Amino acid sequence: MSETSFTPRVFSGIQPSGNLHLGNYLGALKRFVDWQDRDVESIFCMVDLHAITVWQDPVDLKKSTRELCAGFIASGLDPEKSILINQSQVPEHAQLAWVFNCVARMGWMQRMTQFKDKAGKNAQNASLGLFAYPALMAADILTYHATHVPVGEDQKQHLELTRDIATKFNHDYGVEFFPVTEPVIEGAATRVMSLRDGSKKMSKSDPSDASRINLTDDADTIAKKIRKAKTDPEALPSEAEGLEGRPEARNLINIYAAMNNQSVDEVLADVGGKQFSEFKPMLAELAVAKMSPITTEMARLMEHQDEIDKILSRGSERARAITAPILRKTYEIMGMVPPVEM
Ligand code: TYM
């Protein structure tokens, strides 16, 4: 089925599991704002039901959810233009996830590399939710009939699974009901790497705080982390091929390009030949200029948590106007007896 038969609609989500970082910002948040500004209907979600697939302290979860919402708004998402929601407030996500648990095959789920990475050697002790996680993610997207999903590269396999689930559902029931969603993985920063090790993804769970720039870091901390970022002894190349085999150099150039809305080639045309001792202060200055206003605005918003809670409630109400009819229709297709008016 072609995606063109569906009205374009954007959906994406981020887990409120703390330590929102530069990878989340460049790979996801900043690009959410680009979509919003293209005037496509867009829904952005704090996926708390995903977060609890590993243990979350209840007090921290509440704080992280509100902080994430503050991060969305501080990054430029407008709660009037976009629909901002907290996943657990829109019950259709979990309801459709159950349906998709019955559509997805065990073999598909067992191939998910993120489950293998997160469960590690102790897979027998991982939660069932962690295993079923990608079916919930498919439900997040398809309960809106979303057609475009901007994400970082690490979500690619989950989006392929979402396409498989939509295709199988449509095939099994002989309908063209769910869109076969487009993953949108684009730009220079689809995979921001650790500042301490260019072969590892920048991640909220890295025990080293110096490996990432947090959206709550102040200007001094940002500059210090960039100054200390791992590099190699060579000068920067003038062309992208020169970054081959230099993961740390590639990472810092990618970060610069994404933050400055440039291509890697454009950046290298400017900085090629420079030593890191010259480039790092440029990067630090840019990072502080771009990130500090976001950090400051997040802190300001966190002082008005009741406003945040209202934004999320209002978002959920708007979301349910989309999701409830889609779930109802899904059940009808599957042969569930609907309630009657009495
Ligand atoms: P999460 O919370 O791990 O990450 C949120 C978004 O940030 C991107 N990202 C990165 N991008 C570039 N470099 C990095 N180092 C980096 N780290 C994270 C992720 O790719 C993601 O776009 N399963 C999802 C959340 C989710 C979702 C969805 C996304 C749940 N339902 C439906 C899209 C649609 C996750 O755990 O993302």
Side-chain angles (χ1 to χ4, degrees):
M1 182 175 48
S2 79
E3 295 84 14
T4 49
S5 51
F6 288 86
T7 315
R9 188 180 278 152
V10 176
F11 180 94
S12 199
I14 299 186
Q15 292 194 53
S17 42
N19 294 342
L20 197 57
H21 56 72
L22 187 67
N24 299 132
Y25 176 70
L26 295 176
L29 274 170
K30 185 170 186 294
R31 300 189 23 254
F32 298 173
V33 178
D34 295 340
W35 275 101
Q36 169 188 268
D37 293 346
R38 276 181 234 171
D39 275 336
V40 182
E41 185 177 27
S42 42
I43 302 102
F44 298 112
C45 185
M46 341 280 130
V47 291
D48 54 354
L49 297 174
H50 279 95
I52 59 160
T53 55
V54 297
W55 167 253
Q56 301 293 329
D57 179 273
V59 174
D60 293 346
L61 179 64
K62 213 175 248 173
K63 176 168 180 268
S64 299
T65 304
R66 290 174 175 145
E67 199 166 77
L68 179 55
C69 185
F72 275 40
I73 297 168
S75 300
L77 290 178
D78 173 350
E80 291 302 316
K81 277 197 195 169
S82 297
I83 301 178
L84 302 186
I85 56 164
N86 188 21
Q87 190 182 27
S88 58
Q89 290 185 32
V90 183
E92 288 77 16
H93 290 239
Q95 288 174 291
L96 190 62
W98 179 258
V99 171
F100 288 167
N101 281 345
C102 303
V103 174
R105 305 288 93 183
M106 288 294 285
W108 300 359
M109 307 303 271
Q110 275 158 352
R111 281 196 288 276
M112 294 294 115
T113 55
Q114 194 153 318
F115 174 75
K116 290 184 205 163
D117 291 347
K118 284 200 175 174
K121 292 198 184 78
N122 206 2
Q124 288 301 311
N125 211 24
S127 72
L128 181 55
L130 189 66
F131 186 69
Y133 177 116
L136 175 59
M137 186 161 156
D140 295 337
I141 297 165
L142 295 174
T143 193
Y144 295 89
H145 279 185
T147 54
H148 294 77
V149 184
V151 282
E153 202 193 82
D154 59 352
Q155 297 301 317
K156 188 163 184 250
Q157 196 186 31
H158 290 160
L159 294 186
E160 279 158 9
L161 184 94
T162 301
R163 293 167 67 90
D164 289 344
I165 289 177
T167 306
K168 181 164 164 53
F169 182 97
N170 289 342
H171 175 264
D172 288 354
Y173 291 98
V175 289
E176 292 220 333
F177 185 60
F178 287 116
V180 180
T181 301
E182 275 303 311
V184 190
I185 302 172
E186 55 187 16
T190 56
R191 191 172 177 83
V192 176
M193 308 308 277
S194 155
L195 297 180
R196 307 302 298 161
D197 177 352
S199 67
K200 268 173 48 189
K201 196 180 67 170
M202 184 178 284
S203 136
K204 12 184 129 164
S205 54
D206 194 317
S208 161
D209 191 60
S211 70
R212 65 182 161 262
I213 293 175
N214 300 303
L215 259 61
T216 46
D217 285 343
D218 62 24
D220 284 351
T221 311
I222 296 174
K224 193 161 123 206
K225 285 180 177 175
I226 291 178
R227 218 167 38 242
K228 289 199 165 169
K230 188 176 166 202
T231 47
D232 59 41
E234 308 291 318
L236 286 162
S238 303
E239 278 161 18
E241 297 82 73
L243 294 171
E244 215 50 56
R246 299 180 64 187
E248 283 86 13
R250 180 192 295 280
N251 188 37
L252 295 188
I253 293 291
N254 281 349
I255 291 174
Y256 191 98
M259 272 195 305
N260 216 23
N261 300 318
Q262 284 182 298
S263 69
V264 165
D265 286 326
E266 282 166 347
V267 175
L268 290 177
D270 282 348
V271 304
K274 285 194 199 303
Q275 297 293 336
F276 281 104
S277 54
E278 233 182 309
F279 175 66
K280 278 183 170 178
M282 288 172 65
L283 178 60
E285 194 184 330
L286 178 66
V288 168
K290 298 281 179 184
M291 306 312 292
S292 282
I294 297 177
T295 311
T296 310
E297 179 62 1
M298 264 174 83
R300 193 191 67 76
L301 289 164
M302 281 300 278
E303 282 170 17
H304 302 278
Q305 297 195 0
D306 48 336
E307 285 304 314
I308 292 182
D309 291 0
K310 277 187 204 152
I311 287 170
L312 290 176
S313 301
R314 171 82 190 111
S316 305
E317 214 176 272
R318 288 168 69 197
R320 294 204 70 197
I322 304 172
T323 57
I326 289 178
L327 184 74
R328 215 177 299 127
K329 184 72 188 163
T330 308
Y331 281 175
E332 187 188 316
I333 291 170
M334 298 176 78
M336 281 30 171
V337 175
V340 287
E341 289 204 19
M342 291 199 291

